[in-house]
Structure formats: structure tokens, C-alpha cells
Amino acid sequence: MSLNTDSSDLRLTQLRKWLETIAAPRLAIASLRPASADASFRRYFRVDTEQDGSLIVMDAPPPQEDVKPFIHVADLFAATGVSVPRILAQDVAQGFLLLSDLGATTYLHQLNTDTAHKLYMDAIDALVLLQTQSKPEALPPYDRALLQRELQLFPDWYIGRHLKVTLTGEQAASLDKVFDTLLANNLAQPQVYVHRDYHSRNLMVLPAGNPGILDFQDAVYGPITYDLVSLLRDAYVQWDEEMVLDWMIRYWERAKKAGLPVNPDIDSFYRDFEFMGLQRHLKVLGIFARLAYRDGKDAYLRDIPLVMEYTLKTARRYRELMPLVRLLEKLEDNAPQVGYTF
């Protein structure tokens, strides 16, 4: 399927002109068609080569996007031995990259009760491989300021915009105390490379070197449990708690064997996993609301109930997190009715 020409799409015209300047590999530019979009301003296209196979073209329009972090992390991660796209051509100023194609089969499309264990173990092995080669100066730090900004998305976008609620001073102080509790745990964890979105939509099923890893441009150096909880408590697919625990323990065993500085006590490691997960869930609730109300991507509202389920189940297990549970239960009556309840 070729791409329909839209004269109003200046970026597409610029992209075509750039592709015409690439001498090798030889591209069948007429085959250019959409591959995927994501939650940012980036777009991806697939283009056939005149020899055989296809490649991916990234369109990351400045000034909203910058391809330099993607290039840096692609080189960094490739050096560890995990599977990431190779960069075949680049125009940093225009925000265009030509990449190797890791296929069209995401984990999300392939996961079922028969395939899940093998796919998740491959993803865990790749994560351990990546983490064991972490260097603290190679990526920006996932520091308190960044973690705090992410948490603030929850009151700003989920509570304020989605629920249309203004917190009282007492409620805001209670929420800030929960945030402080989470951050104290998160920042005390050992630090490694963190992908930040290591989940079923960004992992591709490969015949060799599985998984292919995408969307890594926001990688940082931060808490060791972050990518594991992104993988196992995925906003787009849910597994029985027993299976999640089994995979978490298998990661912990492999990480210890590989020399990673995970908490040596499994119960303490699980607490780290849970507190890190709650930080991420609160952030994601804010991001999904922002995508819907600021960017017009309403489909993300459908994913809110699962993330809220994770949030409440985790918070109810810890006494110091109960103020969050009480706040959410009080706000429940204000939840928009769009075909689900909390």
C-alpha cells in the first residue's frame, strides 16, 4: 500500500526529498507508507528497498522532537548486545532517520497464555544484559526532580483535568507525603540504565535476538526495578498476580547471578518493585489524561482503568500509602462516566 500524497503535509514532502538523496541502500520511495505513530509528535513510515526487505523512516519534527538522544541511546544499547534498530542514514537538523526494520509484530500482538512465558523470559534476559553494562555518566540521571515532575502529572492532569477536581490544602499535603514516601524508596534503589517504556508496545518479536527494543530515546540512569515493573505491570496487558510474581522472582534470581546490586532480600526487593510501580502508575494516569485532553488522543482513556487497578491494589498493601487510597476513594464519585468504573 502506497502513501496517499497530501499537499498540506509539508513534513512528508521534505521526508520524500531527503530519501531521494540517499544513494545506498536504494529505496523504492513510492512504497512509503505509515508504519506506526506513538504518544509524541514522532511518526514512523515503512519503505521497501529495491533489493529486498524494508526499512523504517522516523519523522521527528523539530523543535518538538530531537533525534540526537535516540541516536546516542541506540549506539549505547547496541553496544550491550541487545537488539535495537541500526541507524542507516540521518539528518539531525530536519529530524529524519532511516532505520533497520525490526518487523511488525509487537509483544502486545503476540502475547497469550501459550507464548507469554517465553517472551517475558527473553525480555527479562535482555533487561539483565542491558543493566549489567550500565555506566552512570552515559545517560541523564533519573533524579528526584525528574521523578517529582512525573508524579506531578497525576494531580495536574488526572485529578485536575480528568476528574475536574481541585484538591484542598489538606488533600494536597496528604498526596505530597505519599509522593515523598515513594521518592525516598525510588532514590534509594541501585541505579542502572532505564529504558522508561519497556513494555509490550515497544518490544518486537524477533526470530533471533528477541526482543527488538524500540522507543528508547528517553532512557536515563535510575532505579533498578523501573523497567521490570514497566514490563510486568503493563498498562496495555494484565497477567495474574501469581505469574507476575513468578517472573519477578526469576528476574531477581538472574540479576543476582549476573552481579546486579538488587536487594538480596526478596521481600524487600518486591517492596522496591511495588513502590517503583506506583510512581510509574501515577505518572501514567497523568500522561494518559494529558494525551486525551491536550493532544486529542482519546483512546488512552480506555487504558486508565487497568492502571488505576494497579494503583489501588499496590497502595492498599502498605500502611504508609493508605492516604492515597482514601483520596482516590473520595474522588471516585467525580470519575467521568465513559463506560467504566473504578
Side-chain angles (χ1 to χ4, degrees):
M1 181 182 68
S2 62
L3 190 69
N4 291 329
T5 301
D6 182 349
S7 59
S8 68
D9 193 339
L10 178 60
R11 288 291 299 178
L12 184 56
T13 301
Q14 294 170 334
L15 179 61
R16 287 179 183 278
K17 288 181 178 178
W18 176 67
L19 292 174
E20 289 168 357
T21 69
I22 297 173
R26 293 183 62 84
L27 304 174
I29 296 174
S31 69
L32 190 70
R33 66 253 188 213
S36 69
D38 64 17
S40 72
F41 292 94
R42 289 183 298 272
R43 295 185 295 179
Y44 298 89
F45 300 91
R46 184 167 274 111
V47 63
D48 295 333
T49 65
E50 292 186 358
Q51 294 78 20
D52 188 27
S54 60
L55 300 173
I56 296 294
V57 188
M58 180 196 290
D59 169 22
Q64 295 92 345
E65 301 291 337
D66 179 4
V67 296
K68 291 191 291 292
F70 183 96
I71 294 168
H72 171 64
V73 181
D75 290 342
L76 191 69
F77 282 12
T80 70
V82 300
S83 298
V84 294
R86 288 177 292 112
I87 299 172
L88 306 176
Q90 57 185 271
D91 185 326
V92 172
Q94 290 197 89
F96 298 141
L97 297 178
L98 182 65
L99 309 169
S100 60
D101 190 349
L102 300 186
T105 306
T106 65
Y107 263 45
L108 186 59
H109 289 133
Q110 191 79 12
L111 281 166
N112 58 51
T113 53
D114 295 324
T115 63
H117 185 72
K118 174 65 165 64
L119 291 176
Y120 276 113
M121 292 315 300
D122 285 351
I124 284 170
D125 286 341
L127 184 58
V128 170
L129 176 62
L130 183 68
Q131 291 177 336
T132 54
Q133 297 170 75
S134 301
K135 298 178 179 64
E137 302 303 321
L139 290 172
Y142 209 173
D143 57 15
R144 183 184 182 91
L146 179 52
L147 289 161
Q148 179 75 52
R149 283 200 304 274
E150 291 180 342
L151 283 170
Q152 192 59 37
L153 294 169
F154 175 69
D156 288 352
W157 285 94
Y158 181 79
I159 296 177
R161 188 67 182 272
H162 183 60
L163 300 184
K164 297 180 173 61
V165 169
T166 299
L167 296 179
T168 67
E170 184 180 350
Q171 288 172 327
S174 177
L175 186 60
D176 285 343
K177 189 173 180 181
V178 170
F179 285 177
D180 288 343
T181 300
L182 294 177
L183 292 171
N185 171 276
N186 301 161
L187 293 165
Q189 292 188 31
Q191 308 284 291
V192 292
Y193 289 163
V194 177
H195 177 293
R196 279 178 87 188
D197 270 314
Y198 196 75
H199 58 65
S200 61
R201 286 188 173 178
N202 291 331
L203 300 178
M204 309 303 291
V205 180
L206 301 181
N210 190 62
I213 302 172
L214 305 179
D215 204 24
F216 43 70
Q217 61 280 337
D218 295 325
V220 288
Y221 187 76
I224 197 167
T225 61
Y226 191 95
D227 283 341
L228 183 66
V229 80
S230 302
L231 179 70
L232 301 183
R233 292 210 174 123
D234 190 328
Y236 309 110
V237 60
Q238 183 179 29
W239 302 99
D240 289 341
E241 193 63 26
E242 293 78 8
M243 297 171 72
V244 171
L245 286 169
D246 178 72
W247 290 323
M248 184 210 66
I249 292 169
R250 289 172 187 267
Y251 163 85
W252 178 72
E253 292 171 342
R254 281 164 166 73
K256 283 198 305 177
K257 187 175 181 180
L260 284 167
V262 291
N263 199 308
D265 175 66
I266 187 60
D267 292 333
S268 298
F269 179 76
Y270 182 64
R271 188 177 187 275
D272 290 346
F273 174 86
E274 293 241 276
F275 276 49
M276 191 74 257
L278 187 53
Q279 188 277 348
R280 177 172 169 81
H281 302 328
L282 292 170
K283 172 183 78 167
V284 168
L285 287 168
I287 288 174
F288 283 175
R290 187 175 67 182
L291 285 165
Y293 300 110
R294 187 191 70 182
D295 303 334
K297 299 182 179 183
D298 295 347
Y300 285 96
L301 294 178
R302 295 197 299 265
D303 300 310
I304 281 178
L306 175 55
V307 182
M308 182 56 73
E309 181 181 335
Y310 289 145
T311 298
L312 286 169
K313 280 186 175 178
T314 298
R316 284 175 175 142
R317 284 193 275 260
Y318 299 91
R319 183 180 302 120
E320 59 266 54
L321 303 180
M322 283 306 296
L324 176 63
V325 176
R326 289 193 290 271
L327 175 62
L328 289 172
E329 288 174 344
K330 184 173 181 60
L331 297 176
E332 184 177 323
D333 293 338
N334 297 95
Q337 298 304 306
V338 285
Y340 56 80
T341 57
F342 302 148

